[in-house]
Amino acid sequence: MLRKAPAGGRAVASNGTTAATSSLPVISSEDMCPVCKTIRYLNKDMEFLINPECYHSMCVNCVNRLFNDGPNQCPYAGCRKTLRRKGFRSAFFGDLSVEREVDIRRRVAAVFNQVEDDFETLKDYNDYLQMVEDLTFDLVSGTDAQRRAAEATLQQWELEHKADIERNRKAGKEADEQSRRRLAAEREAARQRRMEALREAEEEKLERARSREAELDSLAQGDVGAGAQRVQLKRRGQAAANRAVEAAVNAAVAAADVGRLSIRGLKEKKKAPAPEGPYDPFGGMDFVPSRYKLRAGLTHPGIEKYKHDPAHITGGYSFDEYMTRAMFEAFAGLGVFIEDEKEVGIGLSAGEVATISAGIAAVGDKMELD
Amino acid sequence: MEFNIDDLPVLFPYPRIYPGRMLAGSYMVDLKKTLDAGGNCVLEMPSGTGKTVTLLSLIVAYQQYYPSHRKLIYCSRTMSEIEKALVELKALMKFRAERLGYEEEFRGLGLTSRKNLCLHPSVKREKSGNVVDARCRSLTAGFVKEKKEKGEDVEVCVYHDNLDLLEASNLIPNGVWTLDGLLRYGEQHKQCPYFTARRMMQYCNVIIYSYHYLLDPKIAERVSKDLSKDCIVVFDEAHNIDNVCIESLSTDITEDSLRRATRGAQSLENKINEMRESDQQKLQDEYEKLVEGLRGADDGRQEDSFMSNPILPDDLLKEAVPGNIRRAEHFVAFLRRFIEYLKTRMKVRQVISETPPSFLAHLKEYTFIEKKPLRFCAERLTSLVRTLELTNIEDYQPLQEVATFATLVATYEKGFLLILEPYESDTAEVPNPVLHFTCLDAAIAIKPVFERFSSVIITSGTISPLEMYPKMLDFPTVVQESYSMTLARRSFLPMIVTRGSDQASISTSFQVRNEPSVVRNYGNLLTEFAKITPDGMVVFFPSYLYMESIISMWQGMGILDEVWKYKLILVETPDAQETSLALETYRTACCNGRGAVLLCVARGKVSEGIDFDHQYGRTVLCIGVPFQYTESRILKARLEFLRETYRIRENDFLSFDAMRHAAQCLGRVLRGKDDYGLMVLADRRFQKKRNQLPKWINQALLDADTNLSTDMAVSSARRFLKTMAQPFRAKDQEGISTWNMEDLRKHQEKMDEERIKELQAQRDRELNPPPAAQAASHVGAGQAESDYEMDDFDEAELMALDNNA
Ligand code: SF4
Ligand SMILES: [Zn+2]
Ligand SMILES: [Zn+2]
């Protein structure tokens, strides 16, 4: 367990004391260089640079003029720092005291990079965080003595925990890298999906245009029958169905993914189509009667005499076959609701229905003859 | 009247009821089903048919009849709607008391903001609601009272302090209190109505308040946390609920607000220094509490806690505050860094949109601010503000906004997006950057509601297509239903005009909207309808921009002069005061016979919440499909989100959104059964979108009326208006569009008979016939009524009710 007692309730020096930095200007007067007094009005692309030695800002021209020939003293009154051209950069923050603070934090963070898992309890971790924060505060706005002490602590810690620091640095880098990759992948995936959606919409439009064309064609050929319309309806339905199937598959894949990893970005691999079973001409329909049971030896006085009539037997006529069919016909209409059927609109035309019923009637007649 | 639904006796305070609500599987039955099942439902019911009273009478009956006494939380949008609902409730309870012969133990209260309920002589005069809140808090905070007790000279509010003298569970007697009544009671007894209502919420049977008290997590946390799970939650007028949800979680940050936040942080720092000098101990106490965890620091959050915080997951609340923001000065420096970072980001001059994770990664890289302390930001700030005993809280509002933003961005990875727009418009030269932190997922804000309460009822006059809402808000439903109206006569005539008189098609789609021929055709349409419409006429445009351009073109074509002959012309503007002046003039002109046309915008204030009943609106003309402005980046992001997350396609959503606004506009003119009006949809594109209209409008729309040219529309409108001019007596409606007791009983008997038949048929089919008792139990339900004599009520009274509903 790492431990370093946090500095309890010790009051941190209020910032009024000595900190040389508290007087740093906020670049609110962003429009005038404090050194050469050029204003933005005269030089549109004026750019300001700072040097982390003292964080005094000045325009690029001044920097070039003063420091191109080698190190020089900072032109600010009262500032004794010697600055080099190399050290100048533009500031990220508008408030230069924050800029400085962040620079210090960068240094501290490089050393104090423990993570929560390194600690036994959350409280220890929080205490550690506070200790680091106190130290940073000392560095940023402490008195000279505090700052020196903090620097010493920093160095000491660095020496003591070299291995840990190195390990955490690597881990941190990796984690960053990973999250960056994840973000990138996610963005890419989102883009893909957007394209996909666009394509889909496009296709749909095309499909619609095509079906309209087909309709017009068929009209042009004078084939105004319901047939054409049905074809068209079917095609439209087909497209929708295809889409639905696709969506379902996608959803299933997505659902399967949930359990695995939360990386949304990874491309979905095409799954091999499921192996096809043996061919089934009836498409899975099952003719085993569900409403009644056939018993062997079922009989009826009406057919009893034919069982011995050679005219019937010799031909190989099967009476069981006959019974089965009779039963089937007796129950055939049950469970069919005309209303429902009508809505679905099975493709039977009236003519077809008529022939079928005629066929049934014929069968019935023959039976009666028997 | 009194009747039964299943075994539940319902008292309905009016002698007649619209059949739409009584048919099997209809409103009340569905409601009851939902409550029994403890699930959610989405119900659409035509506007102006007494939806509120139906809802209330069923739920109150339910409350009183079943032992569980589930509390009702009724949410509406505006203060006037809340007041209306309270009045209805009051009438209902009065009726119940008369019928039952005794007063039930019942309490119903409404709650609205302090601004509307404050009695403090100087505070109530403040203009802005925020200021009232802030000032009230500084008078009522816990430490103020402490100081007072110590004998210090601090200002307090007597209205608030008087409450402490009363019994906490009985601040106000039983009964239904309208907001008005509450104010009067408060004045009489010198007690604060706002806090009376807030503290009594636990002891109420019915609470009526605005959406925000449940949906806005910042408020909900404080106001609604004590409500129990079995409460019945109703969102009325909920067609816009998804937008309310989204708005409650979105924030915009501007350079100005950041500047003021910096100032706030600065003054916080000064206060800390001051306090360190004077009262070091308080800071130390706070620090020690924070070491223990947030909740501990909060002493079970007081009702008047200083600032409000967004939803935090519960585990977060139990966790201790991260070590690096425990100390006051550390935290302020932390805030400063965050604000400075935002300022820097705002300097960028190109549009940026990024997700919270990528924002956080960048933030960490440049400021070393981690996600975790960021999540605690809002809570930490609240605690600090309380410790410092700040009184002028208004000054810290912007800082608090930033803190809320910090918490949200660190809490939600998905469903939010940051969009930085440096310029107000594409053509603007001067940058005015706004950082939109926008919520894309309406489900996030409403999720706690669905999680906490078992029955949530979402209802409105126009909430089609119903399945869109469960999808968008991500909740399961027990019932989704849209009810149609049955009318004795066609009292409204919806039409779709697709062509001008010259047979050229009209539309406001981008390609043609500014073509003179289209504009002229629209102009003619307006003129023609202005000629034939009696009294008031309301015209809706898709946007202000288009309205302005079309009006100036009409001016040039002399169309406005023509219209002027028949009607006064008034225009809605984005300015609320101007608009209300226009409305007033409009009303006057409608009443005195001059007649007027109100030109307004389909997404403006007029289209939501202002009723044009009777002479105030005889024609509503919807020019163009009111699509949203699709170039908005926020909308684009939301569309993409909807597609990715809920598989709602862009076009479906846009079309749904446009049609719900159109339906809202149409619904404005028909506010009751004796009202009549024309509903004209003028755009070629409406023809295909017909099915997206609410069922009750769609049903009344004849196929012949879906593809009209201007002249055809005018002639059929003439015919319609002629029939409307015939006298129409209340009696004609009876039995068809309103039912009295007799009709109702007949209907119920019929339904029961059918049910019995069905059961018998079912029994015949089965091998073991079920015991006859099962069928008999249903017979009983229909016969339990008493024989009240009805109808001394006059139809007019019923109508008055409708107008309120
Ligand atoms: S306690 Fe009530 S009366 Fe007093 S200031 Fe607050 S809201 Fe107004
Ligand atoms: Zn310079
Ligand atoms: Zn310097």
Side-chain angles (χ1 to χ4, degrees):
Chain A
M1 186 172 97
L2 288 166
R3 53 178 29 252
K4 163 118 199 205
R10 181 172 57 96
V12 166
S14 57
N15 56 358
T17 46
T18 58
T21 51
S22 58
S23 59
L24 278 176
V26 180
I27 320 186
S28 58
S29 55
E30 214 174 284
D31 299 320
M32 188 177 77
C33 171
V35 178
C36 62
K37 315 286 186 212
T38 315
I39 47 175
R40 186 169 302 277
Y41 185 72
L42 298 174
N43 181 1
K44 267 222 169 70
D45 334 295
M46 193 160 61
E47 206 186 310
F48 289 91
L49 297 180
I50 50 148
N51 193 312
E53 284 293 323
C54 65
Y55 294 94
H56 286 140
S57 80
M58 55 198 93
C59 72
V60 184
N61 286 344
C62 287
V63 171
N64 289 338
R65 181 166 51 84
L66 293 171
F67 302 101
N68 266 0
D69 307 330
N72 204 341
Q73 205 183 19
C74 172
Y76 272 62
C79 178
R80 307 236 136 145
K81 296 276 192 220
T82 307
L83 309 176
R84 282 156 214 287
R85 177 67 184 89
K86 210 165 74 221
F88 280 93
R89 60 182 167 86
S90 56
F92 180 82
F93 293 97
D95 185 340
L96 290 178
S97 62
V98 175
E99 179 84 25
R100 175 167 170 273
E101 187 188 330
V102 168
D103 283 342
I104 291 170
R105 278 179 194 278
R106 184 166 298 121
R107 221 148 52 83
V108 175
V111 176
F112 289 96
N113 60 0
Q114 310 287 347
V115 290
E116 197 174 333
D117 289 345
D118 295 341
F119 296 86
E120 270 176 20
T121 64
L122 180 63
K123 185 167 181 323
D124 291 324
Y125 177 58
N126 279 331
D127 289 347
Y128 160 83
L129 283 179
Q130 190 185 346
M131 184 270 288
V132 175
E133 197 64 24
D134 277 334
L135 182 127
T136 313
F137 254 63
D138 282 351
L139 285 175
V140 173
S141 58
T143 57
D144 277 344
Q146 280 171 334
R147 208 175 318 167
R148 264 195 302 276
E151 285 287 359
T153 323
L154 191 67
Q155 269 162 22
Q156 196 191 342
W157 183 279
E158 188 168 6
L159 275 178
E160 279 173 17
H161 300 272
K162 219 167 196 145
D164 283 346
I165 293 172
E166 189 55 28
R167 196 196 60 228
N168 281 332
R169 198 176 57 81
K170 271 201 193 123
K173 232 188 200 163
E174 223 157 82
D176 280 355
E177 188 55 38
Q178 234 171 33
S179 73
R180 195 165 311 137
R181 237 176 300 154
R182 210 188 57 216
L183 282 178
E186 226 158 83
R187 222 169 299 141
E188 171 62 20
R191 204 181 57 84
Q192 291 272 348
R193 280 193 300 264
R194 199 173 319 137
M195 305 276 285
E196 179 67 19
L198 274 180
R199 220 201 56 224
E200 225 171 72
E202 199 59 34
E203 236 162 55
E204 202 179 78
K205 218 188 266 169
L206 273 179
E207 181 70 24
R208 220 177 307 141
R210 222 177 296 144
S211 63
R212 190 171 308 146
E213 208 127 289
E215 193 180 336
L216 285 179
D217 280 355
S218 71
L219 279 178
Q221 285 157 14
D223 167 22
V224 205
Q229 204 155 14
R230 196 167 322 132
V231 166
Q232 196 209 324
L233 277 178
K234 207 161 124 204
R235 193 173 303 159
R236 220 180 274 160
Q238 189 87 47
N242 284 348
R243 232 172 299 122
V245 166
E246 220 169 276
V249 168
N250 284 347
V253 170
D257 272 354
V258 169
R260 288 206 322 255
L261 216 66
S262 65
I263 303 183
R264 282 204 305 178
L266 288 184
K267 283 216 193 78
E268 287 158 4
K269 291 210 186 63
K270 275 255 159 59
K271 274 218 189 98
E276 282 174 21
Y279 177 68
D280 177 1
F282 296 113
M285 220 201 283
D286 165 18
F287 291 98
V288 177
S290 61
R291 288 168 199 278
Y292 58 94
K293 239 200 190 121
L294 268 182
R295 256 182 274 127
L298 202 65
T299 184
H300 181 266
I303 56 172
E304 215 40 52
K305 60 173 176 180
Y306 298 110
K307 281 200 171 160
H308 309 291
D309 178 0
H312 277 91
I313 314 170
T314 38
Y317 188 85
S318 155
F319 285 90
D320 277 346
E321 204 55 52
Y322 167 67
M323 296 307 295
T324 313
R325 204 170 71 205
M327 289 299 281
F328 180 79
E329 274 161 10
F331 281 88
L334 292 183
V336 176
F337 299 99
I338 306 293
E339 256 76 316
D340 300 352
E341 299 289 320
K342 260 190 202 149
E343 254 158 52
V344 176
I346 38 168
L348 290 186
S349 64
E352 276 171 291
V353 174
T355 41
I356 290 177
S357 46
I360 292 171
V363 172
D365 286 352
K366 200 163 121 221
M367 279 303 136
E368 234 146 51
L369 273 181
D370 288 343
Chain B
M1 64 202 276
E2 184 179 341
F3 48 85
N4 276 28
I5 288 182
D6 295 344
D7 58 334
L8 173 70
V10 177
L11 287 169
F12 191 73
Y14 298 93
R16 294 187 189 80
I17 189 162
Y18 297 129
R21 257 156 296 141
M22 277 310 304
L23 297 168
S26 71
Y27 206 66
M28 282 199 189
V29 179
D30 284 344
L31 261 176
K32 179 163 182 296
K33 239 192 268 165
T34 311
L35 298 182
D36 286 341
N40 313 315
C41 66
V42 183
L43 303 175
E44 180 178 69
M45 163 108 153
S47 48
T49 49
K51 181 176 46 184
T52 314
V53 74
T54 316
L55 242 167
L56 287 174
S57 53
L58 182 96
I59 294 179
V60 169
Y62 197 91
Q63 274 183 343
Q64 300 295 335
Y65 186 73
Y66 294 111
S68 55
H69 294 299
R70 295 165 67 178
K71 193 183 291 215
L72 165 66
I73 307 173
Y74 182 95
C75 304
S76 207
R77 280 179 316 176
T78 61
M79 172 147 163
S80 65
E81 276 164 6
I82 293 170
E83 185 75 356
K84 272 182 212 164
L86 281 166
V87 172
E88 294 272 15
L89 182 64
K90 193 163 184 163
L92 171 68
M93 292 319 290
K94 192 163 150 251
F95 176 79
R96 285 183 70 96
E98 275 165 22
R99 274 281 187 268
L100 298 170
Y102 61 91
E103 296 252 349
E104 283 160 301
E105 180 96 352
F106 187 90
R107 206 181 259 130
L109 280 176
L111 180 66
T112 150
S113 64
R114 285 187 178 86
K115 185 169 180 304
N116 298 323
L117 286 179
C118 183
L119 286 176
H120 190 278
S122 82
V123 175
K124 76 173 172 197
R125 234 171 279 137
E126 295 286 356
K127 289 272 180 313
S128 125
N130 278 341
V131 179
V132 175
D133 285 358
R135 280 200 57 193
C136 172
R137 285 187 190 128
S138 52
L139 293 176
T140 56
F143 67 83
V144 176
K145 203 170 159 222
E146 269 167 39
K147 276 191 184 164
K148 179 91 179 172
E149 270 158 16
K150 271 188 248 152
E152 281 178 52
D153 181 29
V154 283
E155 214 191 325
V156 292
C157 175
V158 273
Y159 294 95
H160 177 259
D161 292 354
N162 280 346
L163 284 179
D164 296 340
L165 308 175
L166 300 169
E167 190 189 332
S169 63
N170 198 15
L171 297 176
I172 193 163
N174 275 340
V176 178
W177 295 90
T178 58
L179 298 177
D180 235 16
L182 190 64
L183 272 171
R184 245 174 289 130
Y185 184 88
E187 197 55 82
Q188 273 163 22
H189 295 77
K190 294 277 166 275
Q191 69 186 65
C192 171
Y194 175 78
F195 281 105
T196 306
R198 272 243 330 236
R199 292 188 189 170
M200 287 307 289
M201 246 157 41
Q202 295 176 53
Y203 310 101
C204 275
N205 303 67
V206 175
I207 304 163
I208 302 186
Y209 57 31
S210 129
Y211 284 4
H212 295 276
Y213 290 106
L214 274 184
L215 290 184
D216 192 335
K218 288 173 251 147
I219 309 177
E221 161 69 12
R222 290 203 323 268
V223 176
S224 309
K225 65 168 181 203
D226 294 326
L227 303 172
S228 67
K229 172 147 179 56
D230 66 349
C231 289
I232 301 163
V233 178
V234 175
F235 289 102
D236 200 358
E237 299 296 320
H239 45 270
N240 240 343
I241 195 167
D242 55 317
N243 290 334
V244 177
C245 290
I246 281 178
E247 271 157 33
S248 72
L249 284 180
S250 300
T251 23
D252 283 355
I253 294 177
T254 61
E255 278 188 326
D256 181 54
S257 71
L258 286 178
R259 247 194 310 276
R260 288 193 291 149
T262 313
R263 232 176 292 141
Q266 185 60 48
S267 84
L268 266 189
E269 188 169 334
N270 296 342
K271 290 276 183 205
I272 293 171
N273 289 336
E274 259 170 47
M275 183 164 260
R276 193 173 297 120
E277 246 109 79
S278 63
D279 202 349
Q280 167 76 43
Q281 193 52 41
K282 277 213 176 95
L283 283 177
Q284 189 56 32
D285 287 349
E286 186 208 21
Y287 169 82
E288 254 137 44
K289 276 181 192 161
L290 288 178
V291 173
E292 296 309 316
L294 260 184
R295 273 290 185 206
D298 224 350
D299 295 337
R301 293 168 204 230
Q302 311 152 14
E303 62 177 7
D304 43 359
S305 80
F306 263 107
M307 288 176 177
S308 37
N309 296 313
I311 330 176
L312 291 179
D314 246 2
D315 56 321
L316 191 68
L317 289 170
K318 286 188 205 100
E319 214 189 296
V321 170
N324 45 3
I325 55 169
R326 279 200 302 224
R327 268 171 189 294
E329 58 273 9
H330 290 174
F331 178 60
V332 173
F334 176 90
L335 277 178
R336 263 246 199 84
R337 236 179 316 145
F338 186 60
I339 296 170
E340 283 305 316
Y341 172 79
L342 290 178
K343 278 186 182 166
T344 306
R345 292 297 303 264
M346 300 279 259
K347 291 211 185 92
V348 179
R349 289 292 168 258
Q350 81 230 26
V351 178
I352 291 175
S353 79
E354 62 180 341
T355 57
S358 106
F359 173 83
L360 290 177
H362 192 266
L363 174 70
K364 187 176 165 209
E365 199 177 326
Y366 282 89
T367 58
F368 300 93
I369 289 178
E370 303 261 354
K371 182 169 160 184
K372 196 168 156 200
L374 212 53
R375 286 176 82 184
F376 283 85
C377 222
E379 285 284 334
R380 180 68 187 89
L381 181 63
T382 313
S383 158
L384 181 60
V385 169
R386 191 165 36 242
T387 311
L388 294 177
E389 302 184 351
L390 299 177
T391 44
N392 47 340
I393 312 156
E394 309 95 277
D395 302 350
Y396 299 96
Q397 203 87 26
L399 190 60
Q400 207 239 328
E401 265 165 38
V402 172
T404 306
F405 160 67
T407 301
L408 285 175
V409 81
T411 308
Y412 296 103
E413 285 196 3
K414 299 230 165 81
F416 284 87
L417 197 69
L418 291 115
I419 298 177
L420 176 76
E421 289 188 316
Y423 298 96
E424 244 165 313
S425 66
D426 288 344
T427 52
E429 292 278 337
V430 185
N432 179 21
V434 181
L435 179 63
H436 304 279
F437 179 61
T438 122
C439 175
L440 306 172
D441 189 356
I444 293 177
I446 206 169
K447 193 161 155 238
V449 178
F450 286 118
E451 270 171 7
R452 264 185 53 199
F453 303 110
S454 49
S455 292
V456 180
I457 293 153
I458 291 187
T459 178
S460 171
T462 53
I463 194 163
S464 290
L466 298 174
E467 66 281 359
M468 195 59 122
Y469 289 84
K471 236 189 201 172
M472 263 189 324
L473 302 177
D474 198 15
F475 68 97
T477 56
V478 184
V479 180
Q480 289 180 32
E481 223 10 279
S482 176
Y483 307 95
S484 54
M485 266 179 173
T486 30
L487 296 165
R489 60 171 187 176
R490 274 180 96 195
S491 66
F492 62 101
L493 177 70
M495 310 190 263
I496 297 177
V497 178
T498 56
R499 289 160 290 145
S501 319
D502 57 0
Q503 303 303 323
S505 69
I506 49 175
S507 162
T508 57
S509 69
F510 267 104
Q511 297 86 355
V512 299
R513 58 160 52 176
N514 285 324
E515 268 176 32
S517 69
V518 172
V519 174
R520 183 178 297 278
N521 268 329
Y522 274 130
N524 285 341
L525 188 68
L526 176 69
T527 326
E528 290 301 324
F529 274 93
K531 269 186 211 165
I532 59 168
T533 306
D535 302 322
M537 168 169 180
V538 195
V539 183
F540 288 100
F541 292 86
S543 70
Y544 280 115
L545 223 65
Y546 183 59
M547 179 166 81
E548 273 165 31
S549 85
I550 203 171
I551 286 178
S552 69
M553 282 170 91
W554 280 347
Q555 178 66 30
M557 295 172 178
I559 285 166
L560 291 186
D561 295 336
E562 186 66 19
V563 175
W564 182 259
K565 285 185 201 155
Y566 308 98
K567 301 252 181 271
L568 206 60
I569 302 174
L570 293 153
V571 183
E572 180 191 7
T573 66
D575 182 292
Q577 239 148 3
E578 274 174 26
T579 303
S580 67
L581 191 67
L583 263 173
E584 218 172 278
T585 322
Y586 174 80
R587 292 231 150 97
T588 321
C590 290
C591 290
N592 69 11
R594 169 70 171 96
V597 189
L598 184 65
L599 306 180
C600 41
V601 172
R603 287 161 191 280
K605 283 204 191 57
V606 173
S607 70
E608 285 269 327
I610 292 179
D611 292 350
F612 297 98
D613 50 317
H614 299 92
Q615 76 271 26
Y616 295 128
R618 288 302 184 201
T619 297
V620 57
L621 173 58
C622 209
I623 292 190
V625 185
F627 281 115
Q628 272 188 74
Y629 175 60
T630 37
E631 291 309 299
S632 143
R633 293 194 178 83
I634 295 177
L635 176 62
K636 275 188 180 159
R638 181 155 181 230
L639 288 175
E640 181 156 346
F641 178 83
L642 284 174
R643 191 187 65 230
E644 302 234 316
T645 316
Y646 299 123
R647 297 189 168 270
I648 299 173
R649 287 192 299 171
E650 270 105 338
N651 286 338
D652 291 352
F653 179 78
L654 285 175
S655 155
F656 147 77
D657 184 67
M659 290 312 283
R660 72 170 160 185
H661 277 94
Q664 260 307 295
C665 297
L666 298 185
R668 291 294 105 198
V669 291
L670 197 75
R671 308 310 291 181
K673 283 253 160 167
D674 67 337
D675 202 355
Y676 67 90
L678 292 162
M679 298 175 170
V680 186
L681 294 161
D683 192 311
R684 178 175 50 79
R685 292 171 293 174
F686 276 121
Q687 218 184 328
K688 281 212 194 102
K689 300 190 187 305
R690 174 187 171 176
N691 290 332
Q692 289 164 1
L693 284 170
K695 196 169 160 194
W696 58 279
I697 298 182
N698 193 8
Q699 236 174 22
L701 180 59
L702 302 180
D703 283 338
D705 289 340
T706 57
N707 188 8
L708 299 174
S709 64
T710 303
D711 44 330
M712 287 151 76
V714 168
S715 69
S716 82
R718 273 224 178 85
R719 232 174 301 130
F720 170 77
L721 288 171
K722 240 177 236 159
T723 56
M724 285 300 113
Q726 304 305 315
F728 181 63
R729 280 155 304 133
K731 267 184 73 190
D732 297 341
Q733 285 202 344
E734 256 163 47
I736 303 175
S737 62
T738 59
W739 282 358
N740 60 19
M741 206 61 235
E742 260 324 293
D743 299 324
L744 177 61
R745 182 159 47 231
K746 263 189 236 143
H747 175 73
Q748 282 199 336
E749 267 162 23
K750 203 171 95 202
M751 290 321 293
D752 285 330
E753 259 166 43
E754 262 166 39
R755 237 190 291 177
I756 293 165
K757 262 190 222 144
E758 211 175 280
L759 277 176
Q760 275 169 348
Q762 193 184 334
R763 188 184 48 194
D764 292 345
R765 252 179 275 132
E766 281 169 31
L767 284 174
N768 303 325
Q774 205 172 330
S777 70
H778 287 276
V779 187
Q783 294 170 340
E785 288 92 29
S786 49
D787 31 10
Y788 288 113
E789 34 182 306
M790 301 282 50
D791 349 49
D792 290 341
F793 271 79
D794 172 351
E795 189 69 15
E797 199 157 331
L798 189 54
M799 290 318 150
L801 152 76
D802 291 333
N803 297 334
N804 290 335

